[in-house]
Amino acid sequence: MLSVVPKRTGEELDLLFGALADATRRGIVEQLAAGEATVTELAAPYSISLPAISRHLKVLERASIITRSQQGRWRSAQLSPTSLASAATWLTLHERLWAERFDRLDDHLARLTAGPPTLTETESQTPAKRGTP
Amino acid sequence: MLSVVPKRTGEELDLLFGALADATRRGIVEQLAAGEATVTELAAPYSISLPAISRHLKVLERASIITRSQQGRWRSAQLSPTSLASAATWLTLHERLWAERFDRLDDHLARLTAGPPTLTETESQTPAKRGTP
DNA sequence: ACAACACTTAACATGATAGTTAACTATAGC
DNA sequence: GCTATAGTTAACTATCATGTTAAGTGTTGT
């Protein structure tokens, strides 16, 4: 009965990260980095059934990580050019953001333990907790 | 096997990407990028129960994205400095790998369809679009 | 035409996720 | 000591994910 709020924001990232959260799918992506491949070729390294691979491919396709094409009875998968961009962007952005945070924190701690602060330096870098209203 | 990428423990990436495959958890991470926060502070933007948040935090902790500490009855979460590194590495590495592939393919197709190659035709370095379409 | 091939779809078992409410632990403050 | 506060754990439910086998679709080759 609970009303689930429809998740619209970041659904793309849900699919992207979700698709990459599986070792088999990451393996497929790595394999495809060497060039397009058919389903059986992609399945070869794994000990799981072909339908399972087929579904992994569907997941990757839904996440826009790969595209698929058919020639004759062979269906090949190939990496989509822009696919990982948004995930990579999110990650690197946040990684950089808090790397900076930690740099500043390190810096701050260094100053704290090194003696009296100098004049030009700000003291506002403590990880202050936001007060709850 | 190709294995272009140094195999780290796939388990680690499973946990990392899996943790990021949820909008609430990404939201928490974004919130924590502004500084450490308590559980109720982190829960505030969401309409889900506190136990649900508590479990999201556990997932993030298991993925080594955050660490947690306790002072008094408040438990705060803070981002772990190195956490996203391996995920970001994997992504950017692969993105670059196949971006290059597509660049070369573009290049190749351009030459094929353009007739006799001209002087500086091969200098297109940038894929047409980057980022989220 | 028909058999082998390359998949996909269907139906199902099972385990993981994500949410709930209720009860519990532990600290803060009077 | 008592009570409110901060958060976790427990028990349960619903949905999603991943795998299986069996059957179906369409193509290739004799």
Side-chain angles (χ1 to χ4, degrees):
Chain A
M1 287 314 134
L2 55 125
S3 65
V4 176
V5 176
K7 286 198 228 169
R8 299 182 146 275
T9 313
E11 196 165 321
E12 180 196 3
L13 285 174
D14 280 22
L15 291 174
L16 259 171
F17 283 125
L20 295 175
D22 181 282
T24 302
R25 285 194 291 266
R26 285 196 307 276
I28 289 175
V29 168
E30 291 178 8
Q31 209 174 335
L32 286 177
E36 77 177 321
T38 66
V39 178
T40 29
E41 284 168 357
L42 291 171
Y46 306 99
S47 50
I48 62 179
S49 67
L50 216 53
I53 296 290
S54 195
R55 275 220 290 192
H56 280 308
L57 290 176
K58 208 177 269 185
V59 171
L60 289 169
E61 187 179 20
R62 200 161 108 83
S64 302
I65 292 176
I66 66 172
T67 59
R68 314 195 58 184
S69 55
Q70 180 169 1
Q71 29 191 346
R73 63 181 151 175
W74 290 270
R75 298 166 199 226
S76 60
Q78 49 273 143
L79 293 173
S80 176
T82 63
S83 57
L84 294 194
S86 40
T89 297
W90 193 95
L91 268 178
T92 51
L93 176 62
H94 283 86
E95 205 212 349
R96 187 164 318 150
L97 271 178
W98 79 64
E100 282 168 17
R101 265 200 68 77
F102 277 100
D103 287 351
R104 287 199 301 269
L105 183 60
D106 277 354
D107 203 40
H108 181 62
L109 289 176
R111 270 198 303 279
L112 279 183
T113 55
T118 59
L119 291 172
T120 55
E121 282 167 339
T122 171
E123 284 146 53
S124 62
Q125 293 301 336
T126 44
K129 301 193 330 182
R130 292 181 300 279
T132 311
Chain B
M1 191 70 45
L2 42 131
S3 177
V4 183
V5 175
K7 275 282 188 202
R8 50 191 87 239
T9 15
E11 185 79 23
E12 181 196 359
L13 286 174
D14 280 21
L15 291 174
L16 259 171
F17 284 124
L20 295 176
D22 181 283
T24 303
R25 285 194 292 264
R26 284 196 306 276
I28 289 176
V29 167
E30 291 175 7
Q31 208 174 336
L32 286 177
E36 77 177 319
T38 66
V39 177
T40 29
E41 284 168 357
L42 290 171
Y46 306 98
S47 51
I48 62 180
S49 65
L50 216 54
I53 297 290
S54 195
R55 280 221 294 194
H56 280 308
L57 291 175
K58 209 177 268 186
V59 172
L60 289 169
E61 187 179 19
R62 200 162 105 84
S64 302
I65 292 176
I66 66 171
T67 60
R68 315 196 58 185
S69 55
Q70 180 168 1
Q71 27 191 346
R73 62 181 152 174
W74 291 271
R75 296 166 199 227
S76 60
Q78 49 274 141
L79 293 172
S80 176
T82 62
S83 57
L84 295 195
S86 39
T89 297
W90 193 94
L91 269 178
T92 52
L93 179 60
H94 282 86
E95 204 214 349
R96 187 166 318 150
L97 272 177
W98 80 64
E100 284 168 13
R101 264 197 68 75
F102 277 99
D103 287 350
R104 287 199 302 270
L105 182 60
D106 276 354
D107 201 44
H108 180 60
L109 289 176
R111 270 197 302 278
L112 280 183
T113 56
T118 59
L119 298 168
T120 57
E121 193 107 2
T122 61
E123 289 183 3
S124 69
Q125 289 282 89
T126 52
K129 48 188 214 172
R130 260 315 151 85
T132 320

